[in-house]
Coordinates of all heavy atoms in Angstrom, one line a residue:
M22 N -11.5 2.2 19.8 CA -10.3 2.0 19.0 C -9.1 2.3 19.8 O -9.1 3.4 20.4 CB -10.4 2.8 17.7 CG -9.4 2.5 16.7 SD -9.4 3.4 15.1 CE -11.1 3.7 14.8
T23 N -8.1 1.5 19.8 CA -6.9 1.7 20.6 C -6.1 2.8 19.9 O -6.2 3.0 18.8 CB -6.1 0.4 20.7 OG1 -5.6 0.1 19.5 CG2 -6.9 -0.7 21.3
S24 N -5.2 3.4 20.7 CA -4.4 4.4 20.2 C -3.4 3.9 19.2 O -3.1 4.5 18.2 CB -3.6 5.2 21.3 OG -2.8 4.3 22.0
K25 N -3.0 2.6 19.4 CA -2.0 2.0 18.5 C -2.7 1.8 17.1 O -2.1 2.1 16.0 CB -1.6 0.6 19.0 CG -0.8 -0.2 18.1 CD 0.6 0.4 17.8 CE 1.4 -0.6 17.0 NZ 2.5 0.0 16.3
L26 N -4.0 1.4 17.1 CA -4.7 1.2 15.9 C -4.9 2.5 15.2 O -4.8 2.6 14.0 CB -6.1 0.5 16.1 CG -7.0 0.2 14.9 CD1 -6.2 -0.6 13.9 CD2 -8.3 -0.4 15.4
K27 N -5.2 3.6 15.9 CA -5.4 4.9 15.4 C -4.1 5.4 14.7 O -4.1 5.9 13.6 CB -5.8 5.9 16.4 CG -7.3 5.8 16.8 CD -7.6 6.9 17.8 CE -9.0 6.8 18.3 NZ -9.4 7.8 19.3
E28 N -3.0 5.1 15.4 CA -1.7 5.5 14.8 C -1.4 4.8 13.5 O -0.9 5.4 12.6 CB -0.6 5.2 15.8 CG -0.5 6.1 17.0 CD 0.5 5.6 18.1 OE1 1.4 4.9 17.7 OE2 0.3 6.0 19.3
M29 N -1.7 3.5 13.5 CA -1.5 2.7 12.3 C -2.4 3.2 11.2 O -1.9 3.4 10.0 CB -1.8 1.2 12.5 CG -0.8 0.5 13.4 SD -1.4 -1.1 14.0 CE -2.0 -1.9 12.5
R30 N -3.6 3.5 11.4 CA -4.5 4.0 10.4 C -4.1 5.3 9.9 O -4.1 5.6 8.7 CB -6.0 4.1 11.0 CG -6.6 2.8 11.2 CD -8.0 3.0 11.9 NE -8.9 3.8 11.2 CZ -9.8 3.4 10.4 NH1 -9.9 2.1 10.1 NH2 -10.6 4.3 9.8
E31 N -3.6 6.2 10.8 CA -3.1 7.5 10.3 C -1.9 7.4 9.5 O -1.7 8.1 8.4 CB -2.8 8.4 11.5 CG -4.1 9.0 12.2 CD -4.9 9.8 11.2 OE1 -4.4 10.7 10.4 OE2 -6.1 9.6 11.1
Q32 N -1.0 6.5 9.9 CA 0.2 6.2 9.1 C -0.1 5.8 7.7 O 0.4 6.3 6.7 CB 1.1 5.2 9.8 CG 2.4 4.9 9.0 CD 3.3 3.9 9.7 OE1 3.2 3.7 10.9 NE2 4.2 3.3 9.0
V33 N -1.0 4.8 7.6 CA -1.3 4.2 6.3 C -2.1 5.3 5.4 O -1.9 5.4 4.2 CB -2.1 2.9 6.4 CG1 -2.5 2.4 5.1 CG2 -1.3 1.9 7.2
K34 N -2.9 6.1 6.1 CA -3.6 7.1 5.3 C -2.6 8.1 4.7 O -2.8 8.5 3.6 CB -4.6 7.9 6.3 CG -5.9 7.3 6.4 CD -6.8 7.9 7.4 CE -7.1 9.4 7.1 NZ -8.1 10.0 8.1
K35 N -1.6 8.4 5.5 CA -0.5 9.4 5.0 C 0.2 8.7 3.8 O 0.6 9.4 2.9 CB 0.4 9.8 6.1 CG -0.3 10.8 7.0 CD 0.7 11.2 8.1 CE -0.1 12.3 8.9 NZ 0.1 12.3 10.3
E36 N 0.5 7.4 4.0 CA 1.2 6.7 2.9 C 0.4 6.7 1.6 O 0.9 6.8 0.5 CB 1.6 5.3 3.3 CG 2.6 5.3 4.4 CD 2.9 3.9 5.0 OE1 2.4 2.9 4.5 OE2 3.7 3.8 6.0
L37 N -1.0 6.5 1.8 CA -1.8 6.5 0.6 C -1.9 7.8 -0.1 O -2.2 7.8 -1.3 CB -3.3 6.0 1.0 CG -3.5 4.5 1.1 CD1 -4.9 4.2 1.6 CD2 -3.3 3.9 -0.3
E38 N -1.6 8.9 0.5 CA -1.5 10.2 -0.1 C -0.4 10.1 -1.3 O -0.5 11.0 -2.2 CB -1.2 11.3 0.9 CG -2.3 11.6 1.8 CD -1.9 12.6 2.9 OE1 -0.8 13.1 2.8 OE2 -2.8 12.7 3.8
H39 N 0.5 9.2 -1.2 CA 1.6 9.1 -2.2 C 1.2 8.1 -3.3 O 2.1 7.7 -4.1 CB 2.9 8.7 -1.5 CG 3.3 9.8 -0.5 ND1 4.0 10.9 -0.9 CD2 3.0 9.9 0.8 CE1 4.2 11.6 0.2 NE2 3.6 11.1 1.2
I40 N 0.0 7.5 -3.2 CA -0.5 6.6 -4.3 C -1.8 7.2 -4.8 O -2.8 7.1 -4.1 CB -0.7 5.2 -3.7 CG1 0.5 4.6 -3.1 CG2 -1.2 4.3 -4.9 CD1 0.3 3.3 -2.4
P41 N -1.7 7.9 -5.9 CA -2.9 8.7 -6.4 C -4.0 7.8 -6.8 O -3.8 6.6 -7.2 CB -2.4 9.5 -7.5 CG -1.2 8.8 -8.0 CD -0.6 8.1 -6.8
R42 N -5.2 8.3 -6.8 CA -6.4 7.6 -7.4 C -6.2 7.7 -8.9 O -5.5 8.5 -9.4 CB -7.7 8.3 -7.0 CG -8.0 8.2 -5.6 CD -9.3 8.9 -5.2 NE -9.7 8.6 -3.9 CZ -9.4 9.2 -2.8 NH1 -8.5 10.2 -2.9 NH2 -9.8 8.9 -1.6
G43 N -6.9 6.8 -9.6 CA -6.8 6.8 -11.1 C -7.8 5.9 -11.7 O -9.0 5.8 -11.3
N44 N -7.3 5.1 -12.6 CA -8.2 4.1 -13.3 C -8.5 2.9 -12.4 O -8.0 2.9 -11.3 CB -7.6 3.7 -14.7 CG -6.2 3.1 -14.5 OD1 -5.8 2.7 -13.4 ND2 -5.5 3.0 -15.6
T45 N -9.2 2.0 -12.9 CA -9.6 0.8 -12.1 C -8.4 0.1 -11.4 O -8.4 -0.1 -10.2 CB -10.5 -0.2 -12.9 OG1 -11.6 0.5 -13.3 CG2 -10.9 -1.4 -12.1
P46 N -7.4 -0.3 -12.2 CA -6.3 -1.0 -11.6 C -5.5 -0.1 -10.5 O -5.1 -0.6 -9.5 CB -5.4 -1.4 -12.7 CG -5.9 -0.8 -13.9 CD -7.2 -0.3 -13.7
Q47 N -5.4 1.2 -10.8 CA -4.8 2.1 -9.9 C -5.6 2.2 -8.6 O -5.0 2.1 -7.5 CB -4.6 3.5 -10.5 CG -3.9 4.5 -9.6 CD -2.4 4.2 -9.4 OE1 -1.8 3.6 -10.2 NE2 -1.9 4.6 -8.3
N48 N -6.9 2.2 -8.7 CA -7.7 2.3 -7.5 C -7.7 0.9 -6.7 O -7.7 0.9 -5.5 CB -9.2 2.6 -7.8 CG -9.2 4.1 -8.3 OD1 -8.4 4.9 -8.0 ND2 -10.3 4.4 -9.1
E49 N -7.6 -0.2 -7.5 CA -7.5 -1.5 -6.8 C -6.1 -1.6 -6.1 O -6.1 -2.2 -5.0 CB -7.6 -2.6 -7.9 CG -9.0 -2.8 -8.3 CD -9.2 -4.0 -9.3 OE1 -8.4 -4.9 -9.3 OE2 -10.2 -3.9 -10.0
L50 N -5.1 -1.0 -6.6 CA -3.8 -0.9 -6.0 C -4.0 -0.3 -4.6 O -3.5 -0.8 -3.6 CB -2.8 -0.2 -6.8 CG -1.4 0.1 -6.2 CD1 -0.7 -1.3 -5.9 CD2 -0.6 0.9 -7.1
R51 N -4.6 0.9 -4.6 CA -4.9 1.6 -3.3 C -5.7 0.7 -2.3 O -5.3 0.7 -1.1 CB -5.6 2.9 -3.6 CG -4.7 3.9 -4.3 CD -5.6 5.2 -4.7 NE -6.4 5.7 -3.6 CZ -6.0 6.6 -2.7 NH1 -4.7 7.0 -2.8 NH2 -6.8 7.0 -1.7
M52 N -6.7 0.1 -2.9 CA -7.6 -0.7 -2.0 C -6.8 -1.9 -1.4 O -7.1 -2.4 -0.3 CB -8.8 -1.2 -2.8 CG -9.8 -0.1 -3.0 SD -11.4 -0.6 -3.7 CE -10.9 -1.7 -5.0
L53 N -5.9 -2.5 -2.2 CA -5.1 -3.6 -1.8 C -4.0 -3.2 -0.8 O -3.7 -3.9 0.2 CB -4.5 -4.4 -3.0 CG -3.7 -5.6 -2.7 CD1 -4.5 -6.7 -1.9 CD2 -3.2 -6.2 -4.0
Y54 N -3.4 -2.1 -1.1 CA -2.3 -1.6 -0.2 C -2.8 -1.4 1.2 O -2.1 -1.8 2.2 CB -1.8 -0.2 -0.8 CG -0.6 0.3 0.0 CD1 0.7 -0.1 -0.2 CD2 -0.8 1.2 1.1 CE1 1.7 0.3 0.5 CE2 0.2 1.7 1.8 CZ 1.5 1.3 1.5 OH 2.6 1.7 2.2
W55 N -4.0 -0.9 1.4 CA -4.5 -0.6 2.8 C -4.4 -1.8 3.7 O -3.7 -1.8 4.7 CB -5.9 0.1 2.7 CG -6.4 0.3 4.1 CD1 -7.1 -0.5 4.9 CD2 -6.3 1.5 4.9 NE1 -7.4 0.0 6.1 CE2 -7.0 1.3 6.1 CE3 -5.7 2.8 4.6 CZ2 -7.0 2.3 7.1 CZ3 -5.8 3.7 5.6 CH2 -6.5 3.5 6.8
P56 N -5.1 -2.9 3.4 CA -5.1 -4.0 4.3 C -3.8 -4.7 4.5 O -3.4 -5.1 5.6 CB -6.2 -5.0 3.8 CG -6.3 -4.6 2.4 CD -6.0 -3.2 2.3
L57 N -3.0 -4.8 3.4 CA -1.7 -5.4 3.5 C -0.8 -4.6 4.4 O 0.0 -5.2 5.2 CB -1.1 -5.6 2.1 CG -1.8 -6.5 1.1 CD1 -1.0 -6.5 -0.2 CD2 -1.8 -7.9 1.7
R58 N -0.8 -3.3 4.2 CA 0.0 -2.4 5.0 C -0.4 -2.5 6.5 O 0.4 -2.5 7.4 CB 0.0 -1.0 4.5 CG 1.0 -0.1 5.2 CD 2.4 -0.5 5.1 NE 3.3 0.5 5.7 CZ 4.4 0.2 6.4 NH1 4.8 -1.1 6.5 NH2 5.2 1.1 6.8
M59 N -1.7 -2.4 6.7 CA -2.2 -2.5 8.1 C -1.7 -3.8 8.8 O -1.3 -3.8 9.9 CB -3.7 -2.4 8.2 CG -4.3 -1.0 7.9 SD -3.9 0.2 9.1 CE -5.0 -0.4 10.5
H60 N -1.8 -4.9 8.0 CA -1.4 -6.2 8.5 C 0.1 -6.2 8.8 O 0.6 -6.7 9.8 CB -1.7 -7.3 7.6 CG -1.4 -8.7 8.1 ND1 -0.2 -9.3 7.9 CD2 -2.1 -9.5 8.9 CE1 -0.2 -10.5 8.5 NE2 -1.4 -10.6 9.1
S61 N 0.9 -5.5 8.0 CA 2.3 -5.5 8.2 C 2.7 -4.7 9.4 O 3.8 -4.9 9.9 CB 3.0 -4.9 6.9 OG 2.9 -3.5 6.8
L62 N 1.9 -3.8 9.8 CA 2.2 -3.0 11.0 C 1.6 -3.6 12.3 O 2.0 -3.1 13.4 CB 1.6 -1.6 10.8 CG 2.2 -0.7 9.7 CD1 1.4 0.5 9.5 CD2 3.6 -0.4 10.0
G63 N 0.7 -4.5 12.2 CA 0.0 -5.1 13.3 C 0.9 -5.9 14.2 O 2.0 -6.3 13.9
K64 N 0.4 -6.3 15.4 CA 1.1 -7.1 16.4 C 1.4 -8.5 15.9 O 2.4 -9.0 16.2 CB 0.2 -7.2 17.6 CG 0.1 -6.0 18.5 CD -0.7 -6.4 19.7 CE -1.6 -5.3 20.2 NZ -2.5 -5.6 21.2
K65 N 0.5 -9.0 15.1 CA 0.7 -10.4 14.6 C 1.5 -10.5 13.3 O 1.6 -11.6 12.8 CB -0.7 -11.0 14.4 CG -1.5 -11.2 15.7 CD -2.8 -11.8 15.4 CE -3.6 -11.9 16.7 NZ -4.9 -12.5 16.5
A66 N 2.0 -9.4 12.9 CA 2.9 -9.4 11.7 C 4.0 -10.4 11.9 O 4.7 -10.3 12.9 CB 3.3 -8.0 11.3
K67 N 4.3 -11.2 10.9 CA 5.4 -12.2 11.0 C 6.7 -11.6 10.7 O 7.7 -12.1 11.1 CB 5.1 -13.4 10.0 CG 3.9 -14.2 10.5 CD 3.7 -15.4 9.6 CE 2.5 -16.2 10.1 NZ 1.4 -16.3 9.3
S68 N 6.7 -10.5 9.9 CA 8.0 -9.8 9.6 C 7.7 -8.3 9.6 O 6.6 -7.9 9.5 CB 8.5 -10.3 8.2 OG 7.6 -9.9 7.2
N69 N 8.7 -7.6 9.7 CA 8.6 -6.1 9.6 C 8.7 -5.7 8.2 O 9.8 -5.2 7.7 CB 9.7 -5.5 10.5 CG 9.4 -5.6 11.9 OD1 8.3 -5.9 12.3 ND2 10.5 -5.6 12.7
E70 N 7.6 -5.9 7.4 CA 7.6 -5.5 6.0 C 7.6 -4.0 5.9 O 6.8 -3.4 6.5 CB 6.4 -6.1 5.4 CG 6.5 -6.6 4.0 CD 5.3 -7.3 3.5 OE1 4.2 -7.4 4.1 OE2 5.4 -7.8 2.4
T71 N 8.4 -3.5 5.0 CA 8.5 -2.0 4.8 C 7.3 -1.6 3.9 O 6.7 -2.5 3.2 CB 9.8 -1.6 4.1 OG1 9.8 -2.2 2.8 CG2 11.0 -2.1 4.9
K72 N 7.1 -0.3 3.8 CA 6.0 0.2 2.9 C 6.4 -0.1 1.5 O 5.5 -0.4 0.7 CB 5.8 1.7 3.1 CG 7.0 2.6 2.8 CD 6.6 4.0 3.1 CE 7.7 5.0 2.6 NZ 9.0 4.9 3.2
E73 N 7.7 -0.1 1.1 CA 8.1 -0.5 -0.2 C 7.8 -1.9 -0.6 O 7.3 -2.2 -1.7 CB 9.6 -0.2 -0.4 CG 9.9 1.3 -0.5 CD 10.1 2.0 0.9 OE1 10.0 1.3 1.9 OE2 10.2 3.2 0.9
E74 N 8.0 -2.8 0.4 CA 7.8 -4.2 0.2 C 6.3 -4.5 0.0 O 5.8 -5.3 -0.9 CB 8.3 -5.1 1.3 CG 9.8 -5.1 1.3 CD 10.4 -5.7 2.6 OE1 9.8 -5.5 3.7 OE2 11.5 -6.2 2.6
V75 N 5.5 -3.8 0.8 CA 4.0 -3.9 0.7 C 3.5 -3.4 -0.7 O 2.7 -4.0 -1.4 CB 3.3 -3.2 1.8 CG1 1.8 -3.2 1.6 CG2 3.6 -3.9 3.2
L76 N 4.1 -2.2 -1.1 CA 3.7 -1.7 -2.4 C 4.1 -2.6 -3.5 O 3.3 -2.9 -4.4 CB 4.3 -0.3 -2.6 CG 4.0 0.4 -3.9 CD1 2.5 0.6 -4.1 CD2 4.7 1.7 -4.1
R77 N 5.3 -3.1 -3.4 CA 5.8 -4.1 -4.5 C 4.9 -5.3 -4.6 O 4.5 -5.7 -5.7 CB 7.2 -4.5 -4.2 CG 7.8 -5.4 -5.3 CD 9.3 -5.8 -5.0 NE 10.1 -4.7 -5.1 CZ 10.8 -4.1 -4.1 NH1 10.8 -4.7 -2.9 NH2 11.6 -3.1 -4.3
R78 N 4.5 -5.8 -3.4 CA 3.6 -7.0 -3.4 C 2.2 -6.7 -4.0 O 1.6 -7.4 -4.7 CB 3.5 -7.5 -2.0 CG 3.1 -8.9 -1.8 CD 3.5 -9.6 -0.5 NE 3.1 -8.8 0.7 CZ 2.1 -9.2 1.5 NH1 1.4 -10.2 1.2 NH2 1.9 -8.4 2.6
S79 N 1.8 -5.5 -3.6 CA 0.5 -5.0 -4.1 C 0.5 -4.9 -5.6 O -0.4 -5.3 -6.3 CB 0.1 -3.7 -3.5 OG 0.0 -3.8 -2.1
I80 N 1.5 -4.3 -6.2 CA 1.7 -4.1 -7.6 C 1.7 -5.4 -8.3 O 1.1 -5.6 -9.3 CB 2.9 -3.2 -7.9 CG1 2.7 -1.8 -7.5 CG2 3.3 -3.3 -9.4 CD1 4.0 -0.9 -7.5
E81 N 2.5 -6.4 -7.8 CA 2.6 -7.7 -8.4 C 1.2 -8.3 -8.5 O 0.9 -9.0 -9.5 CB 3.6 -8.6 -7.6 CG 5.0 -8.2 -7.8 CD 6.0 -8.9 -6.9 OE1 5.5 -9.7 -6.0 OE2 7.2 -8.6 -6.9
R82 N 0.4 -8.2 -7.4 CA -0.9 -8.8 -7.4 C -1.8 -8.2 -8.4 O -2.5 -8.8 -9.1 CB -1.5 -8.7 -5.9 CG -2.9 -9.1 -5.8 CD -3.1 -10.6 -6.2 NE -4.5 -10.8 -6.4 CZ -5.3 -10.7 -7.5 NH1 -4.7 -10.3 -8.6 NH2 -6.5 -11.1 -7.5
I83 N -1.8 -6.8 -8.5 CA -2.6 -6.2 -9.5 C -2.2 -6.5 -10.9 O -3.1 -6.7 -11.8 CB -2.6 -4.6 -9.3 CG1 -3.1 -4.2 -7.9 CG2 -3.3 -3.9 -10.4 CD1 -4.5 -4.6 -7.6
K84 N -0.9 -6.7 -11.1 CA -0.4 -7.1 -12.5 C -0.9 -8.5 -12.9 O -0.9 -8.8 -14.1 CB 1.1 -6.9 -12.6 CG 1.5 -5.5 -12.7 CD 3.0 -5.4 -13.0 CE 3.3 -4.0 -13.4 NZ 4.7 -3.9 -13.9
E85 N -1.3 -9.3 -11.9 CA -1.8 -10.6 -12.3 C -3.1 -10.5 -13.1 O -3.4 -11.3 -14.0 CB -2.1 -11.5 -11.0 CG -0.8 -11.9 -10.3 CD -1.1 -12.6 -9.0 OE1 -2.3 -12.9 -8.7 OE2 -0.2 -12.9 -8.3
D86 N -3.9 -9.5 -12.8 CA -5.2 -9.2 -13.5 C -5.0 -8.2 -14.6 O -5.8 -8.2 -15.6 CB -6.2 -8.7 -12.5 CG -6.6 -9.8 -11.5 OD1 -6.4 -11.0 -11.8 OD2 -7.0 -9.4 -10.4
Y87 N -4.1 -7.3 -14.5 CA -3.9 -6.2 -15.5 C -2.4 -6.2 -15.9 O -1.6 -5.4 -15.3 CB -4.3 -4.8 -14.9 CG -5.7 -4.8 -14.4 CD1 -6.0 -5.0 -13.0 CD2 -6.7 -4.4 -15.2 CE1 -7.3 -4.9 -12.6 CE2 -8.0 -4.3 -14.8 CZ -8.3 -4.6 -13.4 OH -9.6 -4.5 -12.9
R88 N -2.1 -7.0 -16.8 CA -0.6 -7.2 -17.2 C 0.1 -5.9 -17.6 O 1.2 -5.8 -17.4 CB -0.5 -8.3 -18.3 CG -0.8 -9.6 -17.8 CD -0.5 -10.7 -18.8 NE -1.0 -12.0 -18.4 CZ -2.0 -12.6 -19.0 NH1 -2.5 -12.2 -20.1 NH2 -2.5 -13.7 -18.5
D89 N -0.7 -5.0 -18.3 CA -0.1 -3.8 -18.8 C -0.1 -2.7 -17.8 O 0.2 -1.5 -18.1 CB -0.8 -3.4 -20.1 CG -0.6 -4.4 -21.2 OD1 0.4 -5.1 -21.2 OD2 -1.5 -4.5 -22.1
F90 N -0.5 -2.9 -16.6 CA -0.6 -1.9 -15.5 C 0.7 -1.2 -15.2 O 1.7 -1.9 -15.0 CB -1.2 -2.5 -14.3 CG -1.3 -1.6 -13.1 CD1 -2.0 -0.4 -13.2 CD2 -0.7 -1.9 -11.9 CE1 -2.1 0.4 -12.1 CE2 -0.7 -1.1 -10.8 CZ -1.5 0.1 -10.9
V91 N 0.6 0.1 -15.3 CA 1.8 0.9 -14.9 C 1.4 1.7 -13.7 O 0.6 2.7 -13.8 CB 2.2 1.9 -16.1 CG1 3.4 2.8 -15.6 CG2 2.5 1.1 -17.3
P92 N 1.9 1.3 -12.5 CA 1.4 1.9 -11.3 C 1.9 3.4 -11.2 O 3.0 3.7 -11.6 CB 2.0 1.0 -10.2 CG 3.2 0.4 -10.9 CD 2.9 0.2 -12.3
Q93 N 1.1 4.2 -10.5 CA 1.5 5.6 -10.2 C 1.7 5.7 -8.7 O 0.8 5.3 -8.0 CB 0.4 6.5 -10.7 CG 0.2 6.5 -12.2 CD -0.9 7.4 -12.6 OE1 -1.4 8.2 -11.8 NE2 -1.4 7.2 -13.8
Y94 N 2.8 6.2 -8.3 CA 3.1 6.4 -6.9 C 4.3 7.4 -6.8 O 5.0 7.5 -7.8 CB 3.5 5.1 -6.2 CG 4.6 4.3 -6.8 CD1 5.9 4.5 -6.3 CD2 4.4 3.4 -7.8 CE1 7.0 3.8 -6.9 CE2 5.5 2.7 -8.4 CZ 6.8 2.9 -7.9 OH 7.8 2.3 -8.4
D95 N 4.4 8.0 -5.7 CA 5.5 8.9 -5.5 C 6.8 8.2 -5.3 O 7.1 7.5 -4.3 CB 5.2 9.7 -4.2 CG 6.2 10.8 -3.9 OD1 7.3 10.8 -4.4 OD2 5.9 11.7 -3.1
K96 N 7.7 8.3 -6.3 CA 8.9 7.5 -6.4 C 10.0 8.0 -5.4 O 10.9 7.3 -5.0 CB 9.5 7.5 -7.8 CG 8.6 6.6 -8.7 CD 9.0 6.7 -10.1 CE 8.2 5.8 -11.0 NZ 6.7 5.9 -10.9
K97 N 9.8 9.2 -4.9 CA 10.7 9.8 -3.9 C 10.3 9.2 -2.5 O 11.1 9.0 -1.6 CB 10.7 11.3 -3.8 CG 11.3 11.9 -5.0 CD 11.2 13.4 -5.0 CE 11.8 14.0 -6.3 NZ 11.6 15.4 -6.3
F98 N 9.0 9.0 -2.3 CA 8.5 8.5 -1.0 C 8.7 7.0 -0.9 O 9.1 6.5 0.1 CB 7.0 8.9 -0.9 CG 6.4 8.5 0.5 CD1 6.7 9.2 1.6 CD2 5.6 7.4 0.6 CE1 6.2 8.8 2.8 CE2 5.1 7.0 1.8 CZ 5.4 7.7 2.9
F99 N 8.3 6.3 -2.0 CA 8.5 4.8 -2.1 C 9.7 4.6 -2.9 O 9.7 4.7 -4.1 CB 7.3 4.2 -2.7 CG 6.0 4.2 -2.0 CD1 5.0 5.1 -2.3 CD2 5.8 3.3 -0.9 CE1 3.8 5.2 -1.6 CE2 4.6 3.3 -0.2 CZ 3.6 4.3 -0.5
K100 N 10.8 4.2 -2.2 CA 12.1 3.9 -2.9 C 12.1 2.5 -3.4 O 12.8 1.6 -2.7 CB 13.2 4.3 -2.0 CG 13.2 5.8 -1.7 CD 14.2 6.1 -0.6 CE 14.3 7.6 -0.2 NZ 13.0 8.2 0.2
L101 N 11.5 2.2 -4.5 CA 11.5 0.8 -5.0 C 12.7 0.6 -5.9 O 13.1 1.4 -6.7 CB 10.2 0.5 -5.8 CG 8.9 0.4 -5.0 CD1 7.8 0.1 -6.0 CD2 9.0 -0.7 -4.0

């Protein structure tokens, strides 16, 4: 594993500490956030998407399946 990949993984792991585990949709939010955020940090990323933009996109996707979903996340860390 390259050092860049390790750095990206560590960064996303730290960000996930601000999205707690919970019920099924909350856990799906965490599972979706990881690959979207890793992609946003990668070399082939088309834009420099922020962690907030990735979280917002993840929440919108989860709400397609769970309309009443109220996401839990650290609002001081993620400034949506």
Side-chain angles (χ1 to χ4, degrees):
M22 190 178 325
T23 67
S24 63
K25 174 69 174 162
L26 181 57
K27 282 183 184 178
E28 289 173 24
M29 288 169 46
R30 289 173 58 94
E31 284 303 312
Q32 178 179 340
V33 178
K34 276 174 61 175
K35 286 182 176 142
E36 291 174 9
L37 273 176
E38 291 174 5
H39 298 274
I40 304 173
R42 289 180 173 87
N44 58 16
T45 300
Q47 182 69 27
N48 291 336
E49 287 184 20
L50 173 64
R51 290 172 50 85
M52 289 188 312
L53 181 59
Y54 182 84
W55 178 274
L57 292 178
R58 184 62 173 142
M59 287 292 289
H60 186 266
S61 76
L62 295 170
K64 288 184 212 171
K65 296 180 183 178
K67 292 184 176 115
S68 66
N69 289 336
E70 217 176 5
T71 66
K72 65 184 188 294
E73 287 82 8
E74 291 167 331
V75 172
L76 180 59
R77 182 178 294 116
R78 201 157 51 104
S79 300
I80 291 169
E81 288 171 1
R82 173 58 191 91
I83 298 302
K84 283 189 171 190
E85 290 175 10
D86 294 335
Y87 304 93
R88 289 190 191 114
D89 298 333
F90 175 57
V91 178
Q93 296 175 18
Y94 58 90
D95 183 343
K96 290 171 178 54
K97 289 179 184 173
F98 183 76
F99 291 102
K100 296 169 179 59
L101 291 182

